[in-house]
Amino acid sequence: MKHPLQNRWTLWFYKNDKTKPWQANLRLVTKFDTVEDFWALYNHIQLASRLMSGCDYSLFKDGIEPMWEDNRNKCGGRWLITLSKQQRMLELDQFWLETLLCLIGEAFDDYNNDVCGAVINVRAKGDKIAIWTRDTENQKAVLHIGKTYKERLGLPMRIVIGYQAHADTATKSGFGVKNKFVV
Amino acid sequence: GTRIIYDRKFLMECRNSP
């Protein structure tokens, strides 16, 4: 007997091809809704650290597309983990797996409904992992998710992680995006 | 209703079970 998950999840893969528009590079890989099917998928696909630069994995609840424009994302934001180049070898895969386990195991107590999904961006200049939540105004939910996530990743107190609204990320580039919350 | 919650330990134990 398989162990059912609370939610059905969809894994997406993005491969950068500059000759195509962003959405054309995004592929739905598969959906799953049991613990066993999650592991069958995870054990079968490439580790994030072995992906080519420019690639992303996204895991979202069924029905939510991994983009700002989706109705369930557009008022939301993300807890962002930025990694140095050195961390790819040591921590990228470990952090991403922990992120996935937080999502499928429903790790955020009363606030799991606020979680939309998670994204990992593999980039030469530095990798990023983020958990996306649905509403930047749900302060209690956002903060609880951020604190729990930081604990689960085993990040020390001195490391501060920030939460950014997608609306700000979409209109400002890189360093201009301000944190709405930090934990 | 009740939520189906799995902790890290349980999920990891399922990784290699047949």
Side-chain angles (χ1 to χ4, degrees):
Chain A
M1 201 197 87
K2 292 181 179 180
H3 295 85
L5 299 174
Q6 175 69 36
N7 282 287
R8 171 175 287 134
W9 298 87
T10 305
L11 181 74
W12 302 79
F13 179 65
Y14 177 89
K15 188 173 185 205
N16 190 25
D17 177 347
K18 284 178 180 150
T19 67
K20 293 180 186 167
W22 186 86
Q23 285 212 22
N25 292 328
L26 183 67
R27 292 287 157 84
L28 192 161
V29 178
T30 192
K31 301 181 182 196
F32 59 87
D33 60 6
T34 68
V35 176
E36 287 74 12
D37 290 346
F38 163 72
W39 284 120
L41 173 65
Y42 182 84
N43 291 334
H44 176 74
I45 58 175
Q46 287 270 17
L47 287 171
S49 60
R50 303 187 65 173
L51 294 178
M52 278 172 39
S53 191
C55 291
D56 304 337
Y57 282 133
S58 305
L59 188 77
F60 275 74
K61 286 177 181 168
D62 193 21
I64 308 180
E65 297 199 309
M67 55 189 75
W68 303 320
E69 297 87 343
D70 190 285
N71 269 335
R72 289 174 68 182
N73 290 324
K74 67 184 180 190
C75 299
R78 62 176 180 172
W79 281 109
L80 179 63
I81 312 293
T82 55
L83 294 100
S84 67
K85 288 178 191 173
Q86 292 78 12
Q87 284 176 291
R88 182 177 295 176
M89 291 299 290
L90 295 168
E91 284 164 327
L92 184 71
D93 295 324
Q94 179 197 326
F95 281 3
W96 178 237
L97 177 57
E98 199 61 38
T99 306
L100 298 175
L101 298 182
C102 285
L103 263 50
I104 66 167
E106 310 279 328
F108 303 107
D109 304 300
D110 291 339
Y111 304 106
N112 288 299
N113 281 339
D114 268 70
V115 173
C116 294
V119 181
I120 182 166
N121 310 119
V122 179
R123 300 290 184 271
K125 63 187 175 188
D127 306 316
K128 287 186 264 189
I129 299 177
I131 288 186
W132 288 28
T133 78
R134 66 180 172 146
D135 192 345
T136 61
E137 300 302 314
N138 291 354
Q139 181 170 344
K140 265 181 85 175
V142 171
L143 287 173
H144 184 80
I145 291 166
K147 283 177 195 159
T148 307
Y149 187 37
K150 187 175 165 180
E151 266 176 38
R152 284 285 297 256
L153 294 180
L155 297 176
M157 291 285 283
R158 64 185 157 79
I159 302 283
V160 172
I161 62 172
Y163 181 90
Q164 302 162 355
H166 297 319
D168 292 341
T169 310
T171 52
K172 293 166 196 156
S173 62
F175 299 106
V177 185
K178 64 182 186 306
N179 290 325
K180 259 184 92 81
F181 305 103
V182 294
V183 293
Chain B
T2 52
R3 279 195 99 85
I4 306 169
I5 292 166
Y6 297 113
D7 63 17
R8 175 180 212 287
K9 183 168 171 284
F10 177 81
L11 291 171
M12 291 304 285
E13 281 167 4
C14 288
R15 183 171 191 174
N16 297 311
S17 60

